């Protein structure tokens, strides 16, 4: 069965065109459930990932309110990616969505809840600050072909970049160049923090094994001298040296060892994959088939770039 006509009818003369990957859409082989503390709210939340029909894509179920993991529902927020619909918000979705996109979970219902029944906001657990917990859980439960409600398999589509698409702000930029496979080159620069400094990381053609071994283990990080300011802003209430790398301007890393010498840059790639996954639709691939080059990106720039992609289809 073909993916809905809306994806097949896009003109190849545009910057982005949707084409078959040669694979069928997948979903989880069973349910999995994880719980843990949230980075910014400090509250404990529980997430249950469930199989879903082909063509449904990935979406959150919070108090029976369904919020698609789509750029259409992304809103500006500090230090994380937030999805919002009808007054309900899901915060810090990037690590989970990164793992789902990279590991090939195209269709998934994500049930989420926290301790407070009155809350209209909920946050995905941070675990150790990486995506390892999600990857391990996905690998343990396994994947299966997703079928639609008629029992048919659906072809998995991917967005292909036909001509460069870009976004920039000051000295920060993000460009997608036409390529035969997904490749990411990411650069960061923290000149005021010698322990981090300028770093670049490039993926080989990205697949689930490379992601699981080289990207998923990288942890979120922060600058020690900024911690108090962030907490005064109501952020990182659940943050600790157990779920984030902390680097001091003068003293270097507070909680070594690093898992990779360029772990901060690799974590930016992890975040980027999660944010770009918001381009997915109807169980398709969110990551464009392109060479994606990013310098000094962040959640806001990633989201703006996905909106640029959406304008070019």
């Amino acid at each position: 069965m073909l993916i809905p006509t809306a994806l097949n009818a896009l003109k190849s003369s545009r910057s982005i065109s949707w084409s078959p990957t040669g694979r069928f859409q997948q979903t989880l082989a069973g349910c999995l459930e994880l719980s843990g503390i949230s980075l910014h709210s400090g509250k404990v939340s529980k997430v249950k990932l469930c199989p879903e029909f082909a063509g449904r894509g990935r979406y959150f179920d919070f108090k029976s309110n369904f919020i698609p993991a789509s750029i259409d529902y992304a809103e500006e927020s500090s230090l994380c990616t937030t999805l919002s619909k009808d007054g309900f918000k899901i915060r810090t979705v990037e690590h989970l969505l990164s793992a789902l996109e990279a590991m090939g979970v195209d269709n998934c219902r994500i049930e989420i809840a926290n301790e407070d029944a009155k809350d209209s906001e909920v946050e995905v657990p941070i675990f150790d600050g990486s995506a390892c917990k999600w990857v391990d859980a996905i690998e343990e439960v396994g994947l299966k072909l997703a079928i639609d409600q008629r029992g048919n398999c659906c072809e998995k589509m991917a967005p292909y970049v036909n001509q460069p698409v870009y976004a920039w702000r000051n000295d920060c930029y993000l460009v997608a160049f036409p390529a035969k496979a997904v490749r990411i080159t990411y650069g960061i620069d923290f000149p005021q923090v010698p322990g981090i400094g300028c770093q670049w990381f490039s993926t080989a053609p990205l697949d689930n094994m490379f992601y699981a071994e080289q990207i998923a283990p990288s942890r979120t990080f922060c600058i020690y001298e900024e911690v108090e300011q962030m907490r005064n802003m109501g952020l990182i209430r659940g943050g600790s040296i157990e779920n984030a790398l902390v680097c001091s301007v003068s003293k270097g890393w507070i909680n070594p060892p690093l898992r990779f010498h360029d772990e901060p840059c690799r974590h930016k790639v992890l975040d980027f994959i999660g944010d770009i996954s918001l381009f997915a639709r109807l169980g398709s691939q969110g990551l464009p088939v392109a060479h994606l080059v990013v310098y000094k990106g962040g959640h806001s720039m990633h989201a703006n770039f996905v909106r640029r992609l959406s304008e070019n289809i």
Side-chain angles (χ1 to χ4, degrees), residues 6 20 61 116 148-149 166 172 178 187 199 215 225 238 258 263 280 289 313:
D61 178 354
D116 193 341
D148 64 17
Q149 289 178 297
Y166 56 88
C172 312
Q199 300 180 6
I215 297 174
E225 286 77 9
L258 273 63
E263 188 169 353
V289 179
I313 60 175

Side-chain angles (χ1 to χ4, degrees), residues 186 188 190 195-197 199 201 218-221 245 247 253 258 260-271:
Y186 208 111
I188 62 173
F190 290 80
I196 301 175
Q199 300 180 6
F201 178 76
S218 57
R219 294 161 291 176
T220 192
F221 64 96
L245 289 169
C247 192
W253 292 105
L258 273 63
F260 308 96
H261 74 277
D262 52 2
E263 188 169 353
C265 194
R266 292 182 189 228
H267 185 79
K268 286 288 191 177
V269 174
L270 187 161
D271 281 346

Side-chain angles (χ1 to χ4, degrees), residues 27-41:
T27 188
L28 294 168
C31 294
L32 66 90
E33 189 172 307
L34 296 174
S35 62
I37 195 168
S38 302
L39 175 61
H40 294 300
S41 69

Side-chain angles (χ1 to χ4, degrees), residues 66-296:
F66 303 131
I67 306 178
S70 163
I71 192 62
D72 295 334
Y73 300 95
E75 68 170 31
E76 293 288 327
S77 58
S78 298
L79 302 179
C80 69
T81 297
T82 298
L83 298 175
S84 176
K85 182 184 176 187
D86 298 332
F88 293 91
K89 297 184 179 184
I90 317 291
R91 301 180 68 190
T92 320
V93 299
E94 57 269 21
H95 298 177
L96 169 56
L97 294 181
S98 180
L100 293 173
E101 172 74 15
M103 300 304 289
V105 185
D106 308 309
N107 302 278
C108 183
R109 184 174 78 256
I110 307 165
E111 299 175 3
I112 185 166
N114 64 12
E115 303 161 314
D116 193 341
K118 297 180 180 179
D119 279 353
S120 59
E121 296 186 13
V122 68
E123 188 176 0
V124 177
I126 189 65
F127 300 123
D128 69 347
S130 77
C132 277
K133 195 89 169 178
W134 295 118
V135 168
D136 290 346
I138 292 166
E139 289 182 331
E140 183 175 350
V141 75
L143 303 180
K144 66 178 181 181
L145 289 179
I147 58 172
D148 64 17
Q149 289 178 297
R150 295 182 178 181
N152 299 312
C153 295
C154 289
E155 195 162 33
K156 181 174 180 175
M157 309 290 279
Y160 284 73
V161 172
N162 302 313
Q163 49 189 302
V165 180
Y166 56 88
W168 78 93
R169 183 186 301 140
N170 300 323
D171 63 339
C172 312
Y173 62 81
L174 205 169
V175 188
F177 296 102
K180 294 182 179 180
V182 178
R183 184 181 172 191
I184 300 170
T185 298
Y186 208 111
I188 62 173
D189 191 19
F190 290 80
Q192 77 280 22
V193 190
I196 301 175
C198 183
Q199 300 180 6
W200 284 91
F201 178 76
S202 253
T203 69
L206 187 64
D207 59 27
N208 58 354
M209 183 175 296
F210 184 90
Y211 177 86
E213 295 177 355
Q214 302 296 325
I215 297 174
S218 57
R219 294 161 291 176
T220 192
F221 64 96
C222 69
I223 299 169
Y224 175 77
E225 286 77 9
E226 297 177 356
V227 168
E228 184 176 356
Q229 178 185 358
M230 287 189 287
R231 285 190 168 151
N232 289 338
M233 294 168 61
L235 301 170
I236 63 168
R237 291 173 178 171
S240 73
I241 59 172
E242 302 300 322
N243 55 33
L245 289 169
V246 183
C247 192
S248 167
V249 171
S250 59
K251 298 179 181 179
W253 292 105
I254 302 297
N255 54 337
L258 273 63
R259 293 173 179 170
F260 308 96
H261 74 277
D262 52 2
E263 188 169 353
C265 194
R266 292 182 189 228
H267 185 79
K268 286 288 191 177
V269 174
L270 187 161
D271 281 346
F272 177 61
I273 293 170
D275 292 339
I276 295 297
S277 78
L278 297 175
F279 193 43
R281 55 199 67 189
L282 304 173
S284 71
Q285 179 172 308
L287 271 170
V289 179
H291 184 186
L292 299 149
V293 182
V294 193
Y295 179 62
K296 295 174 65 174

